[in-house]
Amino acid sequence: MLRVLKPLSGLSPKQHSLGQLQSRYRYRRHPKNDGGGDGVWKTEEKKDGYLQLHKNKGQHLLTNQRILDSIVRKSAIKPADTVLEIGPGTGNLTLKLLEAAQRVVAVELDKRMVEVLQKRVAESGVQDRLTVICKDALKAEFPPFDLVVANIPYGISSPLVAKLVYGARPFRSATLLLQKEFARRLLAKPGDSEFNRLAVNVNLVADVEFVMDVSKREFVPCPKVDSSVVIIRPKAEVPNVDLNEWWAFTKACFCKKNKTLGATFKQKKKVMELLGMSKLAGSNGESKDYISSTDNDDDEGESDEEEFSPSPCSEMGASSFKEKLMGVLKSADFEDKRPSKLSNEELLHLLALFNQAGIYFHDQSKSRNAENESFTVAYS
Protein backbone atom coordinates (compact mmCIF):
# COMPACT_ATOMS: atom_id res chain seq x y z
CA MET A 1 0.00 0.00 0.00
CA LEU A 2 1.42 3.35 -1.00
CA ARG A 3 1.39 6.15 1.52
CA VAL A 4 2.11 9.85 1.56
CA LEU A 5 3.49 12.18 4.18
CA LYS A 6 0.78 14.59 5.27
CA PRO A 7 1.40 17.52 7.65
CA LEU A 8 -1.03 17.66 10.56
CA SER A 9 -2.53 21.03 11.44
CA GLY A 10 -2.69 22.87 14.72
CA LEU A 11 0.97 22.94 15.76
CA SER A 12 3.26 25.95 15.71
CA PRO A 13 6.87 25.17 14.70
CA LYS A 14 8.14 27.78 17.14
CA GLN A 15 6.59 25.87 20.04
CA HIS A 16 8.09 22.48 19.28
CA SER A 17 11.47 20.78 19.12
CA LEU A 18 12.83 18.94 16.08
CA GLY A 19 11.54 15.68 17.50
CA GLN A 20 8.04 17.12 17.81
CA LEU A 21 8.32 18.50 14.30
CA GLN A 22 8.84 14.94 13.08
CA SER A 23 5.58 13.90 14.73
CA ARG A 24 3.64 16.50 12.73
CA TYR A 25 3.82 14.19 9.75
CA ARG A 26 2.03 10.92 9.10
CA TYR A 27 1.53 8.70 6.06
CA ARG A 28 -1.59 7.77 4.16
CA ARG A 29 -2.48 6.22 0.81
CA HIS A 30 -2.45 8.39 -2.30
CA PRO A 31 -6.06 8.31 -3.62
CA LYS A 32 -4.92 7.81 -7.23
CA ASN A 33 -2.24 5.18 -6.59
CA ASP A 34 -3.84 2.27 -4.78
CA GLY A 35 -2.51 -0.29 -7.21
CA GLY A 36 1.22 0.00 -6.59
CA GLY A 37 4.10 1.77 -8.27
CA ASP A 38 6.12 4.68 -6.95
CA GLY A 39 5.38 6.37 -3.65
CA VAL A 40 4.10 9.93 -3.24
CA TRP A 41 4.79 12.61 -0.65
CA LYS A 42 2.29 15.19 0.58
CA THR A 43 3.80 18.67 0.24
CA GLU A 44 2.35 22.16 -0.08
CA GLU A 45 4.92 23.23 -2.69
CA LYS A 46 3.45 21.06 -5.43
CA LYS A 47 0.41 22.09 -7.40
CA ASP A 48 -1.49 18.89 -6.68
CA GLY A 49 -0.01 18.48 -3.20
CA TYR A 50 2.00 15.34 -4.01
CA LEU A 51 5.63 14.60 -4.78
CA GLN A 52 6.35 11.51 -6.87
CA LEU A 53 9.04 9.15 -5.55
CA HIS A 54 10.89 7.09 -8.15
CA LYS A 55 11.98 3.56 -7.27
CA ASN A 56 14.32 3.40 -10.25
CA LYS A 57 16.27 6.31 -8.74
CA GLY A 58 16.55 4.63 -5.37
CA GLN A 59 14.08 7.01 -3.72
CA HIS A 60 12.93 4.92 -0.76
CA LEU A 61 12.23 6.94 2.38
CA LEU A 62 12.80 5.35 5.78
CA THR A 63 9.79 6.25 7.92
CA ASN A 64 10.17 4.27 11.15
CA GLN A 65 11.07 6.80 13.86
CA ARG A 66 12.46 4.12 16.17
CA ILE A 67 14.90 2.91 13.51
CA LEU A 68 15.90 6.47 12.63
CA ASP A 69 16.63 7.14 16.31
CA SER A 70 18.66 3.93 16.53
CA ILE A 71 20.77 4.86 13.49
CA VAL A 72 21.59 8.26 15.00
CA ARG A 73 22.38 6.71 18.38
CA LYS A 74 24.66 4.03 16.90
CA SER A 75 26.52 6.71 14.92
CA ALA A 76 27.91 8.16 18.18
CA ILE A 77 27.59 11.75 17.02
CA LYS A 78 29.28 14.40 19.17
CA PRO A 79 27.70 17.84 19.71
CA ALA A 80 30.49 19.60 17.78
CA ASP A 81 30.42 17.20 14.80
CA THR A 82 29.70 17.98 11.18
CA VAL A 83 27.75 15.11 9.64
CA LEU A 84 27.72 14.33 5.93
CA GLU A 85 24.38 12.90 4.79
CA ILE A 86 24.11 11.53 1.26
CA GLY A 87 20.64 11.23 -0.22
CA PRO A 88 18.64 12.96 2.55
CA GLY A 89 15.43 12.86 0.54
CA THR A 90 12.75 14.86 2.32
CA GLY A 91 14.59 15.04 5.63
CA ASN A 92 13.39 12.25 7.93
CA LEU A 93 16.94 11.41 9.01
CA THR A 94 18.23 14.97 8.56
CA LEU A 95 16.00 16.33 11.32
CA LYS A 96 17.26 13.64 13.69
CA LEU A 97 20.88 14.43 12.80
CA LEU A 98 20.35 18.13 13.45
CA GLU A 99 19.27 17.28 16.98
CA ALA A 100 22.60 15.56 17.64
CA ALA A 101 25.20 17.39 15.53
CA GLN A 102 26.47 20.93 15.20
CA ARG A 103 26.04 20.93 11.42
CA VAL A 104 24.70 18.68 8.67
CA VAL A 105 25.92 18.75 5.07
CA ALA A 106 23.26 17.09 2.90
CA VAL A 107 24.06 16.03 -0.67
CA GLU A 108 20.87 15.58 -2.72
CA LEU A 109 20.54 15.44 -6.51
CA ASP A 110 16.74 15.84 -6.76
CA LYS A 111 15.77 19.53 -6.59
CA ARG A 112 12.22 18.61 -5.60
CA MET A 113 13.53 16.78 -2.55
CA VAL A 114 15.74 19.74 -1.69
CA GLU A 115 12.68 22.03 -1.64
CA VAL A 116 10.85 19.82 0.84
CA LEU A 117 13.97 19.26 2.94
CA GLN A 118 14.73 22.97 3.24
CA LYS A 119 11.11 23.79 4.11
CA ARG A 120 10.98 21.20 6.89
CA VAL A 121 14.29 22.34 8.36
CA ALA A 122 13.22 26.00 8.13
CA GLU A 123 10.11 25.14 10.13
CA SER A 124 12.38 23.80 12.85
CA GLY A 125 14.33 27.06 13.00
CA VAL A 126 17.77 25.47 12.49
CA GLN A 127 18.27 26.13 8.78
CA ASP A 128 21.53 27.94 9.58
CA ARG A 129 23.03 24.58 10.61
CA LEU A 130 22.14 22.82 7.36
CA THR A 131 24.18 23.04 4.16
CA VAL A 132 22.60 21.51 1.05
CA ILE A 133 24.69 20.49 -1.97
CA CYS A 134 22.37 19.83 -4.91
CA LYS A 135 24.70 17.60 -6.95
CA ASP A 136 25.46 13.99 -7.79
CA ALA A 137 27.23 12.59 -4.71
CA LEU A 138 29.69 10.68 -6.90
CA LYS A 139 30.79 13.89 -8.63
CA ALA A 140 30.46 16.41 -5.81
CA GLU A 141 33.46 17.57 -3.81
CA PHE A 142 32.65 17.05 -0.15
CA PRO A 143 33.58 19.76 2.36
CA PRO A 144 35.32 18.68 5.60
CA PHE A 145 33.17 16.44 7.81
CA ASP A 146 33.58 14.27 10.90
CA LEU A 147 31.38 11.33 10.02
CA VAL A 148 28.84 10.07 7.50
CA VAL A 149 25.28 8.97 8.30
CA ALA A 150 23.18 8.12 5.26
CA ASN A 151 20.45 6.05 3.66
CA ILE A 152 22.12 5.89 0.26
CA PRO A 153 20.52 4.86 -3.05
CA TYR A 154 21.25 1.18 -3.71
CA GLY A 155 22.53 1.89 -7.21
CA ILE A 156 25.56 3.90 -6.06
CA SER A 157 26.59 1.81 -3.04
CA SER A 158 29.83 0.42 -4.49
CA PRO A 159 31.29 3.62 -6.02
CA LEU A 160 30.18 5.69 -3.02
CA VAL A 161 31.86 3.38 -0.51
CA ALA A 162 34.96 3.57 -2.72
CA LYS A 163 34.85 7.36 -2.74
CA LEU A 164 34.61 7.44 1.04
CA VAL A 165 37.23 4.88 2.07
CA TYR A 166 39.75 5.82 -0.63
CA GLY A 167 38.93 9.52 -0.72
CA ALA A 168 40.83 12.61 0.35
CA ARG A 169 38.61 13.47 3.33
CA PRO A 170 39.48 11.77 6.63
CA PHE A 171 36.48 10.84 8.77
CA ARG A 172 35.74 8.97 11.98
CA SER A 173 33.04 6.60 10.77
CA ALA A 174 30.35 6.07 8.15
CA THR A 175 27.00 4.65 9.27
CA LEU A 176 25.29 3.49 6.09
CA LEU A 177 21.90 1.95 5.34
CA LEU A 178 22.57 -0.43 2.44
CA GLN A 179 20.87 -3.16 0.46
CA LYS A 180 21.10 -6.27 2.65
CA GLU A 181 22.87 -8.37 0.01
CA PHE A 182 25.48 -5.66 -0.57
CA ALA A 183 26.04 -5.31 3.18
CA ARG A 184 26.58 -9.07 3.51
CA ARG A 185 29.22 -8.97 0.78
CA LEU A 186 30.89 -6.05 2.52
CA LEU A 187 30.96 -7.98 5.81
CA ALA A 188 32.11 -11.32 4.33
CA LYS A 189 35.22 -13.03 5.71
CA PRO A 190 37.66 -15.48 4.06
CA GLY A 191 35.96 -18.85 3.66
CA ASP A 192 32.44 -17.39 3.54
CA SER A 193 30.50 -18.15 0.37
CA GLU A 194 29.95 -14.39 -0.06
CA PHE A 195 33.63 -13.46 0.33
CA ASN A 196 34.64 -11.33 -2.64
CA ARG A 197 36.86 -8.60 -4.00
CA LEU A 198 34.63 -5.90 -2.52
CA ALA A 199 35.31 -7.12 1.02
CA VAL A 200 39.03 -7.58 0.32
CA ASN A 201 39.57 -4.05 -0.96
CA VAL A 202 37.47 -2.30 1.67
CA ASN A 203 39.09 -4.34 4.46
CA LEU A 204 42.50 -3.13 3.32
CA VAL A 205 41.74 0.36 4.65
CA ALA A 206 38.70 0.04 6.93
CA ASP A 207 36.84 -2.17 9.39
CA VAL A 208 33.15 -2.92 8.84
CA GLU A 209 30.68 -3.62 11.65
CA PHE A 210 27.15 -4.98 11.31
CA VAL A 211 24.52 -2.97 13.22
CA MET A 212 21.05 -4.25 12.31
CA ASP A 213 18.72 -5.40 9.55
CA VAL A 214 15.84 -3.20 8.39
CA SER A 215 12.73 -4.66 6.78
CA LYS A 216 11.68 -3.38 3.37
CA ARG A 217 8.28 -2.61 4.92
CA GLU A 218 9.83 0.33 6.78
CA PHE A 219 10.31 2.29 3.53
CA VAL A 220 8.04 4.34 1.27
CA PRO A 221 7.72 3.23 -1.46
CA CYS A 222 8.49 -0.34 -0.43
CA PRO A 223 11.62 -1.70 -2.19
CA LYS A 224 11.92 -5.31 -3.33
CA VAL A 225 14.64 -6.22 -0.83
CA ASP A 226 15.51 -5.72 2.83
CA SER A 227 18.30 -3.45 4.03
CA SER A 228 21.05 -3.51 6.64
CA VAL A 229 22.89 -0.86 8.62
CA VAL A 230 26.69 -1.11 8.84
CA ILE A 231 29.38 1.13 10.28
CA ILE A 232 32.64 1.60 8.35
CA ARG A 233 35.62 2.85 10.36
CA PRO A 234 38.85 3.80 8.57
CA LYS A 235 41.91 2.05 9.97
CA ALA A 236 44.51 4.14 11.78
CA GLU A 237 47.28 2.30 9.95
CA VAL A 238 47.09 0.76 6.49
CA PRO A 239 49.57 -1.38 4.52
CA ASN A 240 52.21 0.41 2.48
CA VAL A 241 51.10 -0.84 -0.92
CA ASP A 242 50.64 0.74 -4.34
CA LEU A 243 46.85 0.86 -4.60
CA ASN A 244 46.72 0.60 -8.38
CA GLU A 245 48.87 -2.52 -8.16
CA TRP A 246 46.69 -3.93 -5.35
CA TRP A 247 43.42 -3.29 -7.19
CA ALA A 248 44.75 -4.92 -10.37
CA PHE A 249 46.13 -7.88 -8.39
CA THR A 250 42.87 -8.57 -6.55
CA LYS A 251 40.95 -8.29 -9.81
CA ALA A 252 43.24 -10.92 -11.37
CA CYS A 253 42.82 -13.24 -8.38
CA PHE A 254 39.08 -12.86 -7.82
CA CYS A 255 37.98 -13.20 -11.44
CA LYS A 256 37.78 -16.91 -10.51
CA LYS A 257 37.73 -16.78 -6.74
CA ASN A 258 37.07 -20.51 -6.25
CA LYS A 259 39.77 -21.73 -8.63
CA THR A 260 43.23 -22.42 -7.31
CA LEU A 261 45.77 -19.70 -7.95
CA GLY A 262 47.84 -22.22 -9.89
CA ALA A 263 44.96 -22.83 -12.31
CA THR A 264 44.27 -19.11 -12.68
CA PHE A 265 47.83 -18.10 -13.46
CA LYS A 266 48.45 -20.98 -15.87
CA GLN A 267 45.98 -19.57 -18.40
CA LYS A 268 47.71 -18.45 -21.59
CA LYS A 269 45.90 -15.15 -21.76
CA LYS A 270 46.74 -14.32 -18.15
CA VAL A 271 50.39 -15.27 -18.66
CA MET A 272 50.70 -13.03 -21.72
CA GLU A 273 48.97 -10.11 -19.99
CA LEU A 274 51.32 -10.27 -17.02
CA LEU A 275 54.35 -10.79 -19.24
CA GLY A 276 53.52 -7.60 -21.12
CA MET A 277 52.82 -5.73 -17.89
CA SER A 278 56.06 -6.80 -16.30
CA LYS A 279 57.96 -5.54 -19.36
CA LEU A 280 56.05 -2.25 -19.10
CA ALA A 281 54.84 -2.98 -22.63
CA GLY A 282 51.19 -3.76 -21.90
CA SER A 283 48.39 -2.29 -19.85
CA ASN A 284 45.27 -3.50 -18.12
CA GLY A 285 44.12 0.10 -18.06
CA GLU A 286 43.68 2.09 -14.89
CA SER A 287 40.53 0.42 -13.74
CA LYS A 288 38.60 2.51 -11.26
CA ASP A 289 36.37 -0.45 -10.50
CA TYR A 290 38.49 -1.10 -7.45
CA ILE A 291 35.79 -2.29 -5.07
CA SER A 292 33.08 -3.35 -7.45
CA SER A 293 30.66 -5.86 -5.99
CA THR A 294 29.64 -7.07 -9.44
CA ASP A 295 32.90 -8.63 -10.61
CA ASN A 296 32.58 -12.17 -11.93
CA ASP A 297 34.36 -13.57 -8.89
CA ASP A 298 33.16 -17.14 -9.23
CA ASP A 299 34.01 -20.11 -11.42
CA GLU A 300 31.72 -19.18 -14.28
CA GLY A 301 32.56 -17.02 -17.25
CA GLU A 302 35.82 -17.00 -19.17
CA SER A 303 37.08 -20.48 -20.06
CA ASP A 304 40.61 -21.65 -19.36
CA GLU A 305 40.74 -22.67 -22.99
CA GLU A 306 39.77 -19.27 -24.39
CA GLU A 307 41.32 -18.78 -27.81
CA PHE A 308 44.59 -16.89 -27.68
CA SER A 309 47.27 -16.97 -30.36
CA PRO A 310 50.61 -15.46 -29.37
CA SER A 311 53.44 -15.26 -31.89
CA PRO A 312 56.15 -17.99 -31.82
CA CYS A 313 58.60 -15.52 -30.28
CA SER A 314 56.22 -14.47 -27.54
CA GLU A 315 55.27 -18.13 -27.01
CA MET A 316 58.85 -18.87 -25.97
CA GLY A 317 58.89 -15.90 -23.60
CA ALA A 318 55.51 -16.88 -22.21
CA SER A 319 56.68 -20.40 -21.39
CA SER A 320 59.59 -19.07 -19.37
CA PHE A 321 57.41 -16.46 -17.69
CA LYS A 322 54.80 -19.07 -16.81
CA GLU A 323 57.47 -21.08 -15.01
CA LYS A 324 58.39 -17.92 -13.13
CA LEU A 325 54.77 -17.41 -12.06
CA MET A 326 54.45 -20.99 -10.88
CA GLY A 327 57.77 -20.72 -9.07
CA VAL A 328 56.52 -17.79 -7.01
CA LEU A 329 53.30 -19.61 -6.12
CA LYS A 330 55.12 -22.80 -5.16
CA SER A 331 57.75 -20.96 -3.09
CA ALA A 332 55.14 -20.00 -0.49
CA ASP A 333 52.67 -22.87 -1.01
CA PHE A 334 50.08 -20.72 -2.82
CA GLU A 335 49.69 -22.88 -5.92
CA ASP A 336 46.80 -24.97 -4.54
CA LYS A 337 45.17 -22.20 -2.51
CA ARG A 338 41.99 -20.39 -3.53
CA PRO A 339 41.48 -16.59 -3.31
CA SER A 340 38.12 -17.09 -1.59
CA LYS A 341 39.91 -18.50 1.46
CA LEU A 342 42.87 -16.11 1.72
CA SER A 343 43.17 -13.29 4.24
CA ASN A 344 44.37 -9.82 3.28
CA GLU A 345 47.68 -10.56 4.99
CA GLU A 346 48.19 -13.61 2.78
CA LEU A 347 47.21 -11.70 -0.35
CA LEU A 348 49.58 -8.85 0.51
CA HIS A 349 52.38 -11.36 1.06
CA LEU A 350 51.73 -13.00 -2.31
CA LEU A 351 51.66 -9.64 -4.10
CA ALA A 352 54.99 -8.73 -2.49
CA LEU A 353 56.49 -12.02 -3.70
CA PHE A 354 55.28 -11.37 -7.25
CA ASN A 355 56.67 -7.82 -7.26
CA GLN A 356 60.01 -8.97 -5.85
CA ALA A 357 60.22 -11.40 -8.75
CA GLY A 358 59.56 -8.57 -11.23
CA ILE A 359 55.94 -9.57 -11.88
CA TYR A 360 53.46 -6.69 -11.93
CA PHE A 361 49.70 -6.38 -12.40
CA HIS A 362 49.45 -2.66 -13.18
CA ASP A 363 51.38 -0.63 -15.74
CA GLN A 364 54.21 0.79 -13.64
CA SER A 365 55.02 3.40 -16.30
CA LYS A 366 51.79 5.24 -15.57
CA SER A 367 51.57 7.78 -12.78
CA ARG A 368 49.40 7.09 -9.78
CA ASN A 369 45.86 8.25 -10.36
CA ALA A 370 43.90 10.80 -8.36
CA GLU A 371 42.31 8.24 -6.07
CA ASN A 372 45.72 6.93 -5.06
CA GLU A 373 47.09 10.42 -4.41
CA SER A 374 44.02 11.33 -2.38
CA PHE A 375 44.42 8.20 -0.30
CA THR A 376 48.04 9.14 0.48
CA VAL A 377 46.97 12.58 1.67
CA ALA A 378 44.18 11.22 3.84
CA TYR A 379 45.91 8.32 5.54
CA SER A 380 49.68 8.86 5.40
Side-chain angles (χ1 to χ4, degrees), residues 174-211:
T175 304
L176 304 178
L177 183 57
L178 305 165
Q179 182 177 344
K180 186 174 181 178
E181 180 183 357
F182 181 87
R184 291 295 182 268
R185 291 171 65 82
L186 199 61
L187 291 158
K189 303 298 181 184
D192 293 347
S193 61
E194 296 166 321
F195 188 58
N196 60 95
R197 185 169 166 247
L198 167 71
V200 166
N201 287 336
V202 171
N203 186 254
L204 181 74
V205 296
D207 295 314
V208 185
E209 174 191 347
F210 171 77
V211 177

Side-chain angles (χ1 to χ4, degrees), residues 312-379:
C313 181
S314 62
E315 185 79 61
M316 293 176 61
S319 178
S320 175
F321 189 75
K322 179 179 176 180
E323 292 181 7
K324 190 175 185 179
L325 283 168
M326 293 303 105
V328 171
L329 292 174
K330 291 177 181 178
S331 69
D333 295 324
F334 279 106
E335 184 180 18
D336 295 324
K337 293 184 178 180
R338 306 173 193 277
S340 60
K341 299 185 183 299
L342 296 180
S343 67
N344 271 31
E345 290 73 19
E346 291 173 304
L347 289 168
L348 284 165
H349 178 51
L350 177 57
L351 177 58
L353 292 176
F354 275 132
N355 289 171
Q356 289 167 13
I359 300 170
Y360 295 95
F361 295 80
H362 174 262
D363 190 345
Q364 301 299 300
S365 67
K366 294 186 177 181
S367 61
R368 305 176 89 190
N369 63 19
E371 288 85 358
N372 206 345
E373 293 171 352
S374 297
F375 176 86
T376 302
V377 172
Y379 297 101

Side-chain angles (χ1 to χ4, degrees), residues 68-365:
L68 289 167
D69 287 334
S70 181
I71 290 174
V72 174
R73 185 172 61 255
K74 292 289 186 180
S75 300
I77 301 171
K78 299 177 182 179
D81 280 341
T82 294
V83 177
L84 175 67
E85 184 185 9
I86 298 165
T90 49
N92 286 354
L93 180 58
T94 313
L95 291 172
K96 300 284 187 181
L97 294 174
L98 284 166
E99 288 185 319
Q102 175 63 35
R103 174 168 292 278
V104 173
V105 177
V107 183
E108 174 59 61
L109 180 60
D110 193 328
K111 294 181 180 179
R112 304 169 309 143
M113 296 287 191
V114 171
E115 290 179 14
V116 179
L117 171 66
Q118 291 178 326
K119 182 177 187 299
R120 294 184 72 188
V121 173
E123 288 177 350
S124 73
V126 292
Q127 61 270 26
D128 59 321
R129 294 198 284 115
L130 173 69
T131 299
V132 178
I133 300 175
C134 190
K135 291 183 179 179
D136 183 339
L138 298 179
K139 299 177 181 178
E141 182 177 348
F142 299 148
F145 58 92
D146 297 295
L147 64 166
V148 184
V149 184
N151 169 22
I152 63 177
Y154 294 156
I156 65 170
S157 296
S158 184
L160 182 58
V161 169
K163 181 172 182 175
L164 292 174
V165 300
Y166 286 109
R169 295 292 186 190
F171 61 95
R172 195 165 69 245
S173 67
T175 304
L176 304 178
L177 183 57
L178 305 165
Q179 182 177 344
K180 186 174 181 178
E181 180 183 357
F182 181 87
R184 291 295 182 268
R185 291 171 65 82
L186 199 61
L187 291 158
K189 303 298 181 184
D192 293 347
S193 61
E194 296 166 321
F195 188 58
N196 60 95
R197 185 169 166 247
L198 167 71
V200 166
N201 287 336
V202 171
N203 186 254
L204 181 74
V205 296
D207 295 314
V208 185
E209 174 191 347
F210 171 77
V211 177
M212 62 180 172
D213 289 326
V214 179
S215 170
K216 59 186 178 183
R217 294 188 295 273
E218 307 297 349
F219 296 85
V220 173
C222 181
K224 295 181 179 179
V225 296
D226 292 329
S227 299
S228 295
V229 178
V230 302
I231 298 179
I232 300 175
R233 295 185 177 89
K235 293 181 177 179
E237 296 183 2
V238 297
N240 182 20
V241 61
D242 183 313
L243 291 180
N244 286 311
E245 180 71 4
W246 170 258
W247 295 328
F249 169 67
T250 57
K251 186 170 186 177
C253 291
F254 279 83
C255 66
K256 302 288 179 62
K257 71 174 186 179
N258 290 317
K259 283 187 176 294
T260 65
L261 290 167
T264 295
F265 288 107
K266 282 179 181 177
Q267 297 177 44
K268 287 184 178 180
K269 184 175 181 180
K270 183 63 65 181
V271 170
M272 295 304 297
E273 286 177 353
L274 295 179
L275 174 59
M277 199 66 64
S278 298
K279 290 181 176 180
L280 305 183
S283 174
N284 287 338
E286 294 197 26
S287 173
K288 295 183 180 180
D289 181 28
Y290 34 75
I291 66 166
S292 172
S293 63
T294 58
D295 283 341
N296 181 26
D297 52 9
D298 56 27
D299 289 336
E300 298 179 1
E302 180 182 303
S303 169
D304 291 351
E305 302 302 324
E306 181 176 350
E307 292 185 9
F308 190 78
S309 302
S311 65
C313 181
S314 62
E315 185 79 61
M316 293 176 61
S319 178
S320 175
F321 189 75
K322 179 179 176 180
E323 292 181 7
K324 190 175 185 179
L325 283 168
M326 293 303 105
V328 171
L329 292 174
K330 291 177 181 178
S331 69
D333 295 324
F334 279 106
E335 184 180 18
D336 295 324
K337 293 184 178 180
R338 306 173 193 277
S340 60
K341 299 185 183 299
L342 296 180
S343 67
N344 271 31
E345 290 73 19
E346 291 173 304
L347 289 168
L348 284 165
H349 178 51
L350 177 57
L351 177 58
L353 292 176
F354 275 132
N355 289 171
Q356 289 167 13
I359 300 170
Y360 295 95
F361 295 80
H362 174 262
D363 190 345
Q364 301 299 300
S365 67

